[in-house]
Amino acid sequence: MKNSYEYPLDYEWKRDEMVNVVNLWRLVELAYETGVDREEFLAQYALFKKVIPSKGEEKRWGNKFEDISGYSLYRVVKAAKEGTNKTIKM
């Protein structure tokens, strides 16, 4: 992980949409750093998908986040959807 970076956001989103996206970015970080509850992650991902419903846009934002943080949204989502463990740890 890089020491300091800003989460990728679209400043045209409403405040609650930004909160949902930031919360997901934080859970992705936690999945890599300490582990995150799978159900909590999937619930937050569902809120994220209300802000960014398109797969193409999700990929674009996920790539932006990975470029600046080194953490992959795609890999965490895949682990959450395919796994059965209570905790996701990348």
Side-chain angles (χ1 to χ4, degrees), residues 65-81:
F65 180 72
E66 187 171 358
D67 287 345
I68 61 172
S69 70
Y71 299 143
S72 170
L73 170 63
Y74 171 79
R75 292 179 203 268
V76 178
V77 169
K78 184 175 180 182
K81 287 182 175 180

Side-chain angles (χ1 to χ4, degrees), residues 45-86:
Y45 178 69
L47 294 173
F48 171 84
K49 289 303 289 178
K50 288 182 180 181
V51 179
I52 303 172
S54 155
K55 274 291 193 191
E57 283 295 296
E58 176 184 342
K59 183 176 179 179
R60 186 171 71 85
W61 285 100
N63 287 341
K64 282 183 179 187
F65 180 72
E66 187 171 358
D67 287 345
I68 61 172
S69 70
Y71 299 143
S72 170
L73 170 63
Y74 171 79
R75 292 179 203 268
V76 178
V77 169
K78 184 175 180 182
K81 287 182 175 180
E82 293 177 355
T84 56
N85 293 342
K86 181 170 172 43

Side-chain angles (χ1 to χ4, degrees), residues 5-11 13 18 21-22 25 48 52 60-66 68-69:
Y5 57 87
E6 291 184 19
Y7 292 139
L9 297 172
D10 184 336
Y11 292 100
W13 290 334
M18 284 188 193
V21 172
V22 166
W25 296 147
F48 171 84
I52 303 172
R60 186 171 71 85
W61 285 100
N63 287 341
K64 282 183 179 187
F65 180 72
E66 187 171 358
I68 61 172
S69 70

